[in-house]
Amino acid sequence: MIERIGVLGAGQMGNGIAHVFAQEGYEVVMYDIVPEQLEKALVTIRQNLERQAKKGAVPETLVAETMGRIKATQDMADLAQSDFAVEAVTEHEPLKLDIFRNLDATVKEGAILASNTSSIPITKIAAVTGRPEKVIGMHFMNPVPVMKLVEIIRGLQTSDSTAAATHALTLKLGKTPAV
């Protein structure tokens, strides 16, 4: 069962991903190496939630509830108990591969590792982990809280159960999966 979500990268995509997961009731740990980026992400998420509440799209009580489910951190070890982790850092292949090596060594066995990449092959990312069957692409569209489409991209070794869990998770977020 997926309950705890790790989000790596607190930029535009990462904060949007953290927002939608937390809004749907998931506990989220949002990781970034830049403290100012984490602070900016939390402000952006709150502002977007408040805008949604003012428009009547969500109840006002959801703002505080959602913010209470997001923990910002600079320590990757805080992602250890994630059931599902989504990487959303810059489209720089060496950086992504390094993050996946570290993520694989950090999160618990059985956790699914997803990348928000739009250009790097999932098979290449999966190859640097000890769990290629648990690696998948989960490419959100920008702005994440608004756009419904999410691309789900399998690598050569991505298991059927990983693909099915990611598909189901996408639907729970109120998003439209495109496999």
Side-chain angles (χ1 to χ4, degrees):
M1 174 179 263
I2 297 173
E3 296 175 344
R4 288 181 218 88
I5 306 295
V7 176
L8 293 91
Q12 186 172 13
M13 294 304 291
N15 79 58
I17 293 167
H19 171 157
V20 297
F21 275 110
Q23 185 173 320
E24 292 304 318
Y26 293 94
E27 294 298 319
V28 176
V29 176
M30 183 173 51
Y31 165 84
D32 202 292
I33 59 170
V34 181
E36 296 81 14
Q37 189 63 50
L38 287 166
E39 291 167 24
K40 181 180 175 186
L42 291 171
V43 168
T44 298
I45 294 167
R46 179 176 294 283
Q47 287 173 342
N48 288 338
L49 285 164
E50 288 171 348
R51 188 177 310 115
Q52 287 177 287
K54 281 181 187 163
K55 290 180 179 179
V58 299
E60 290 209 18
T61 56
L62 190 69
V63 176
E65 291 169 10
T66 299
M67 294 307 297
R69 286 191 279 267
I70 301 172
K71 175 186 177 181
T73 186
Q74 289 181 264
D75 186 354
M76 191 178 275
D78 290 338
L79 300 167
Q81 294 306 309
S82 299
D83 301 306
F84 193 98
V86 183
E87 166 276 319
V89 302
T90 303
E91 282 297 299
H92 182 65
E93 189 174 307
L95 174 63
K96 285 189 187 279
L97 296 180
D98 190 46
I99 284 173
F100 270 85
R101 280 185 202 95
N102 291 328
L103 187 59
D104 183 44
T106 302
V107 300
K108 66 185 181 181
E109 188 177 325
I112 294 172
L113 310 181
S115 178
N116 188 56
T117 187
S118 59
S119 62
I120 301 167
I122 299 304
T123 300
K124 189 171 209 170
I125 293 170
V128 302
T129 74
R131 59 177 101 192
E133 73 288 352
K134 292 284 191 181
V135 178
I136 195 161
M138 189 178 198
H139 181 220
F140 290 83
M141 303 299 141
N142 190 31
V144 179
V146 176
M147 300 299 285
K148 295 291 185 196
L149 188 65
V150 176
E151 280 183 296
I152 297 174
I153 310 109
R154 292 175 72 137
L156 289 176
Q157 293 181 283
T158 304
S159 70
D160 290 344
S161 62
T162 296
T166 305
H167 189 272
L169 187 59
T170 302
L171 292 172
K172 285 181 183 174
L173 294 176
K175 302 291 186 186
T176 303
V179 180

